[in-house]
Each structure stands twice: as C-alpha cells, then as structure tokens.
Amino acid sequence: MCVKLIYKIIIILFIGMGSLPLAANSLSASYNPYVYAAGYDSSDPQTSFFLQSGNAASVQYIFTLSDTSFDIYTGLGYSQLFDTRVTGLEFAKGFTSIFFDAGLTYHFSYNFSLSGFMRMHNSQYTNTKTFFAHIEAGISPNITFVSDSEGKSLHETVNLTFPLTVDMRKDLSYAFSFGVGLAIKLQLMQDDNARLNDGIVTLEDSAL
Amino acid sequence: MKTYFRILILTVIFAILSTSCDLFHTTDTTRGNSYALIYGVANYIGSINDLTYTYNDAEDMEYFFKGHNFTTTIAQYDNEATKSTIKADLSSIREIAGENDLTVFFFAGHGSGPDIGDGQVFLIPYYTTYTIPSSEIFSDSELLEELKTISGKKLLILDICFAGGFVPDNGVDVDGLPGDYGYTGDPSVFFQTWDKYLTEDSNTEYPDIWVIGSAGKNESAREDDENDDTDGNVENGYYTYYLLKSLGYNHDDYSISKTIPADSNADNLITVSEIYNETFNQFEQNYNDQFLSDYAKYYSHTSGGPKDLILLDLSP
C-alpha cells in the first residue's frame, strides 16, 4: 500500500516536472566530473569500498519564484561512471544513466547560492543488457563567476558547482559522490515580475 | 574572457584527474590460481538425444584454458560427464580453492526447460537410464549451491537450452532481454526497473558467481547442422563458437590469438561483461541476423549486479 502511494507520488512529481518548462524563465546547461565512492556487501574486506570516477551533464529549466530568493528547476541529464578495478579478480562495474532531476536553489547573494536536488536515474551497466533504477539526492553550493545580466533580455551566467550526493542504490550498501563542475545558464525569457537576476530580492524588484 | 578560460582549464584538469582512479586509491591486484572444469556431452544414452558438436565445444574450451595456463583444467566428455563425476570434480576443487582463486565451469550439452518442476531449469549431464532420472541431473539452484561452497570467484558458462534460467536474479536489476525473445520481442524496461526498485529487496545469495548463458530461460540454443552447408559450418554450438572467437580462439587450427576482440578498452583485462558484449555482437551479426527469423532468434544472458569478474589478466 505504502509502496503504491510512493509510486503514485513519483509519477505525479514526474508529470509535474515535465510541465515545469512551460513556466520556466531560463535554461541552464551544466557539466560536472565527479568521484563516486561506493560500497557493497562482500565477504572480501578489501572490496567492500571502492572509488570510481565519472561525468555528468544536464540541461535544466529554471523557474524563478517571484518576490523570493528561490528558484525551482527541473531537467534532463546523462551521466557515465567508469569501471574501476577493485581486486585482482573484480571490477566495480561502470554504468550510464539517463536522469530526470528536480531541485530548489536559494540565493544567498549575487555570488553564492545553495541547491538541493533529487535525481531519478535509469541506468545500464556497461557492456551488458542489464538495467536498474536508483534515486540520488544531494546538495550543491554554487559560485557565480561570470554574469552579464545587466538589462539584457538574453544573458548568460557561469556557475562553479560542488555537488555532494547520496545515491540510493539497492544493489549497494551505500554510495555517495562529490564533484566539481560548470553550470552555464542562459536566460532565454525575461520575466519582469521576477527579481532582477542578481539573486537578491529588493523593493525595486518587487515594484517591477 | 580570462575568467572563462581559467574555469575551462580547471575543469579539464579535474576531468583528467578524476578519470584516473589510481590517483585516489591503490588496488591489490593479487590473483590466485585458476581452475577450469569442462564438460561436453554429445552422445547420450541411446541415440535419440544425441548432439553433434558439444564434444567440440568442450574440447575447444579445454585447449583454450590450457593455452592460458590455468592451474588445473579438468575435462570430461560424453559418458565420463555424469552428475556424480561432476560433483566429485567440484569437491576436488573445493578442497584446494582459496579466496583469490578463480573457478570456471563450462558445460555443453542438453538443458531442460522451466516446464519441468517448479519453474526451475536443468542441466542434463550424461545419464544412465533411458528415462532421465531427476537424481542424475542438476537443477539451477543445485548447481549454483555446489559452486557457492567453493572459495573464491566462480564463472559458470553454459551452452545449453534454457541456460538463462541459471542466471541468478539479484532482485533489483532488470534483464533487457526477455527469456523468450521470439515471442515477446524487446521488453520495456523503464517501468520494470522502477517497479523492482520500489518493491524488491537486493538478493546477494550468489555474490561470487557470474553466469553466461547461451539462451534465454525459455529458449533453445542451437548447434551447427552437419548436414546443412548453408548455416555457417562452424562445427560448434553457435554460442560457444562466437564466445571463443571473441576470446581470440580459432576453432579451425586451435590457435589462440594474442589480440582479444573482447578487450574493448584495451586494458588487457578481459571481464565477463566484455566477453558477453563482444560475443553478443558477433552472434547477432553472424548468426541471428544471418540465419534466423525474428521468431527463432535467441539471446545470451549474463549476471547483473555491481561487480564484474576478470576472467583473464593478460597484462605484460
């Protein structure tokens, strides 16, 4: 019963995420290389923990909430984790993923924001026809390096991101990853009712 | 512009560093001994169930593993390959195998489908009476339990009908190929993966056993027809032929190439997934697509899970 309810909630969220682009007022593309630490139940102590590396890229629609310092976003992404040898006889398998993600960003200042996100992955182990699902949740401090937002209807910003995630895989006892990456945000539509793209809501913004 | 350039350089450097995992940890690459148990049954009791090239399959496997200097290679053919002999061989390996050792078990012969018994599939060694006695065959779980009690890692390679039934279900993975491709075609795996994620628990009953099976749980595997000159003339079971070819073995002159087609990333470490993938592609292009209609096609299956087994380490 509980599982069915969770299933329904995920499907509703999934549909909701899909409709968000209709209301979005910016688009971002991001890339981040990362290191993935994982462990599985094993009789061999030396293989109970291992490190892998990977890359992730995603495109996100961002919806700026009026009169607040919050953005919500949703997007699609692709990630690849590479094989890593863990013993003389074993590799930790790599896999490729297609994922949907959704998240919330709070802007502390012009330069700094913090995002919390959840990703639903559909993954396939490298060189096999085996698929699995998993959910990843994480936080990501973001530092804005470049922005040319002053008064333009189309502008771009470049953020440096440091995502730290927990990957809830059922075939592993635990897994987490950390990385660094670039998020290149292109503001395609200007919403005059939103804040002036400086990350801080002011009376001036509200007046607009 | 300078800032863009700096960020770009930093990202590229990090990407290069992060793809070289050896920087982050050291791996103990110690490998112990390797054992191969090989069985081929072509001539069953009577003649109605006889096969043609399963003997060749086992013989080629024997040459291959001996060529790669496996510590021990035991090969049994036809009436030598009974259940009691196989169990005795397994016991002898059980006595000597250690945690870092690898045991390969190969069988070419008959398999029996899940319509017999409780959804189980069966491996049919040589048997001694005209009706197949259940005491002289291995069910999937019986064989997996036998292998489980051997220390180290184990690889089970089966070129038999219904071999996919021997691939353990780890609870959370979804096989992208159905057990009966000819009837159901490609399945939709998206909702299956989420259904399993939300409703199933991980099953780690056989964490140290990898399986490669020549056909699905409800599919027959085929061998070359000696009376048909238009079907490739491989003189093997088709799956075994392409599996050995992917490992650089040539049935025609029994030679082993130093170039291994399965080594897709050229790291000299030949894993079960790489072997599966290369064999799958060769089998698909050279047999399934050439000689079989969609209805008759069959596909190999292998184990899921987060770990991959290194069958051969050919590092200089």
Side-chain angles (χ1 to χ4, degrees), chain A residues 27-31 156-159 182-186, chain B residues 4:
Chain A
L27 181 68
S28 87
S30 67
Y31 161 74
E156 69 270 9
T157 59
V158 178
N159 292 337
L182 286 180
I184 302 161
K185 187 163 79 172
L186 298 170
Chain B
Y4 277 110

Short mmCIF file of all heavy atoms in Angstrom, two decimals, chain A residues 27-31 156-159 182-186, chain B residues 4:
data_model
loop_
_atom_site.label_atom_id
_atom_site.label_comp_id
_atom_site.label_asym_id
_atom_site.label_seq_id
_atom_site.Cartn_x
_atom_site.Cartn_y
_atom_site.Cartn_z
N LEU A 27 17.15 28.75 -18.85
CA LEU A 27 17.62 27.42 -19.22
C LEU A 27 19.09 27.34 -18.84
O LEU A 27 19.83 28.29 -19.05
CB LEU A 27 17.46 27.27 -20.73
CG LEU A 27 17.86 25.97 -21.39
CD1 LEU A 27 16.92 24.86 -20.97
CD2 LEU A 27 17.81 26.13 -22.91
N SER A 28 19.50 26.23 -18.27
CA SER A 28 20.93 26.12 -17.98
C SER A 28 21.46 24.79 -18.47
O SER A 28 20.72 23.80 -18.54
CB SER A 28 21.20 26.27 -16.48
OG SER A 28 21.07 25.04 -15.83
N ALA A 29 22.73 24.79 -18.83
CA ALA A 29 23.42 23.55 -19.22
C ALA A 29 24.56 23.38 -18.26
O ALA A 29 25.28 24.33 -17.96
CB ALA A 29 23.93 23.67 -20.65
N SER A 30 24.72 22.19 -17.72
CA SER A 30 25.80 22.01 -16.77
C SER A 30 26.58 20.73 -17.05
O SER A 30 26.06 19.80 -17.66
CB SER A 30 25.26 21.97 -15.33
OG SER A 30 24.48 20.83 -15.13
N TYR A 31 27.81 20.76 -16.60
CA TYR A 31 28.68 19.59 -16.76
C TYR A 31 29.46 19.45 -15.48
O TYR A 31 29.95 20.44 -14.93
CB TYR A 31 29.64 19.81 -17.93
CG TYR A 31 30.85 18.89 -17.88
CD1 TYR A 31 30.72 17.55 -18.20
CD2 TYR A 31 32.09 19.37 -17.49
CE1 TYR A 31 31.81 16.71 -18.12
CE2 TYR A 31 33.18 18.53 -17.41
CZ TYR A 31 33.05 17.20 -17.73
OH TYR A 31 34.11 16.35 -17.64
N GLU A 156 23.80 35.39 -20.03
CA GLU A 156 24.30 34.13 -19.54
C GLU A 156 25.08 34.31 -18.24
O GLU A 156 25.64 35.38 -17.99
CB GLU A 156 25.20 33.44 -20.57
CG GLU A 156 26.52 34.09 -20.84
CD GLU A 156 26.47 35.11 -21.95
OE1 GLU A 156 25.35 35.44 -22.40
OE2 GLU A 156 27.53 35.61 -22.33
N THR A 157 25.07 33.28 -17.42
CA THR A 157 25.91 33.27 -16.22
C THR A 157 26.66 31.94 -16.21
O THR A 157 26.21 30.95 -16.78
CB THR A 157 25.08 33.38 -14.91
OG1 THR A 157 24.18 32.28 -14.87
CG2 THR A 157 24.35 34.69 -14.83
N VAL A 158 27.81 31.95 -15.55
CA VAL A 158 28.58 30.73 -15.39
C VAL A 158 28.79 30.48 -13.91
O VAL A 158 29.33 31.34 -13.20
CB VAL A 158 29.95 30.84 -16.11
CG1 VAL A 158 30.76 29.56 -15.89
CG2 VAL A 158 29.76 31.10 -17.59
N ASN A 159 28.34 29.34 -13.45
CA ASN A 159 28.49 28.98 -12.04
C ASN A 159 29.48 27.83 -11.90
O ASN A 159 29.54 26.94 -12.75
CB ASN A 159 27.16 28.49 -11.46
CG ASN A 159 26.15 29.59 -11.36
OD1 ASN A 159 26.50 30.77 -11.32
ND2 ASN A 159 24.88 29.22 -11.34
N LEU A 182 30.77 22.92 -14.03
CA LEU A 182 30.33 24.23 -14.52
C LEU A 182 28.85 24.17 -14.83
O LEU A 182 28.38 23.19 -15.38
CB LEU A 182 31.06 24.57 -15.81
CG LEU A 182 32.52 24.97 -15.73
CD1 LEU A 182 33.04 25.26 -17.12
CD2 LEU A 182 32.68 26.19 -14.85
N ALA A 183 28.14 25.20 -14.46
CA ALA A 183 26.75 25.32 -14.89
C ALA A 183 26.65 26.61 -15.71
O ALA A 183 26.86 27.70 -15.19
CB ALA A 183 25.82 25.37 -13.69
N ILE A 184 26.37 26.46 -16.95
CA ILE A 184 26.27 27.63 -17.84
C ILE A 184 24.79 27.93 -18.03
O ILE A 184 24.05 27.12 -18.60
CB ILE A 184 26.93 27.33 -19.20
CG1 ILE A 184 28.39 26.94 -18.98
CG2 ILE A 184 26.81 28.53 -20.13
CD1 ILE A 184 28.99 26.21 -20.15
N LYS A 185 24.36 29.04 -17.49
CA LYS A 185 22.94 29.34 -17.51
C LYS A 185 22.63 30.40 -18.56
O LYS A 185 23.22 31.47 -18.56
CB LYS A 185 22.48 29.82 -16.13
CG LYS A 185 20.98 30.00 -16.02
CD LYS A 185 20.51 30.06 -14.60
CE LYS A 185 20.75 31.42 -13.99
NZ LYS A 185 20.14 31.55 -12.67
N LEU A 186 21.72 30.08 -19.44
CA LEU A 186 21.30 31.03 -20.47
C LEU A 186 19.88 31.48 -20.14
O LEU A 186 18.98 30.65 -20.06
CB LEU A 186 21.32 30.38 -21.85
CG LEU A 186 22.67 29.91 -22.35
CD1 LEU A 186 22.49 29.07 -23.60
CD2 LEU A 186 23.57 31.09 -22.62
N TYR B 4 36.52 32.88 -18.15
CA TYR B 4 36.04 31.70 -18.86
C TYR B 4 37.18 30.72 -19.08
O TYR B 4 37.06 29.52 -18.87
CB TYR B 4 35.50 32.10 -20.25
CG TYR B 4 34.10 32.61 -20.28
CD1 TYR B 4 33.82 33.93 -20.55
CD2 TYR B 4 33.03 31.74 -20.05
CE1 TYR B 4 32.53 34.40 -20.59
CE2 TYR B 4 31.74 32.20 -20.10
CZ TYR B 4 31.49 33.53 -20.37
OH TYR B 4 30.21 33.98 -20.41
#
